[in-house]
């Protein structure tokens, strides 16, 4: 994945950092046996995914045409249409 710049975007970094903070919050409250705090941390984890998706839709994520997997799939589709 390092060769495809997978995840090296502001949207990916922001979403993962927020989700990690939520994971830490949930873990702390789980050890403290506080269910409400645990679920609050899980809400922060989901918020991280939502923020990442919104930022990607705003153009801060990696465009699909730059990803090698999509290029290969497009080439296969083009070859299949010709043959």
């Amino acid at each position: 994945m390092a060769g495809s710049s997978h995840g090296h975007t502001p949207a990916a970094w922001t979403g993962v950092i927020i989700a990690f903070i939520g994971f830490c919050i949930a873990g702390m409250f789980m050890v403290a046996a506080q269910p409400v705090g645990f679920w609050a941390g899980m809400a922060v984890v989901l918020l991280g995914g939502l923020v990442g998706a919104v930022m990607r839709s705003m153009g801060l994520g990696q465009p699909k045409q730059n990803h090698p997997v999509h290029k290969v799939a497009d080439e296969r589709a083009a070859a299949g249409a010709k043959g």
Side-chain angles (χ1 to χ4, degrees):
M1 284 192 225
S4 65
S5 296
H6 178 75
H8 297 285
T9 64
W13 278 102
T14 303
V16 167
I17 289 170
I18 292 171
F20 179 71
I21 291 169
F23 175 77
C24 291
I25 292 169
M28 180 182 68
F29 280 106
M30 186 169 65
V31 171
Q34 298 292 325
V36 175
F38 168 78
W39 288 111
M42 294 306 294
V44 174
V45 171
L46 294 175
L47 178 68
L50 180 65
V51 168
V54 168
M55 289 180 70
R56 183 181 60 203
S57 70
M58 293 171 52
L60 295 171
Q62 181 176 1
K64 286 188 176 185
Q65 58 269 28
N66 288 353
H67 200 283
V69 172
H70 296 290
K71 288 181 182 179
V72 171
D74 290 341
E75 291 169 5
R76 285 185 191 157
K82 292 179 184 177

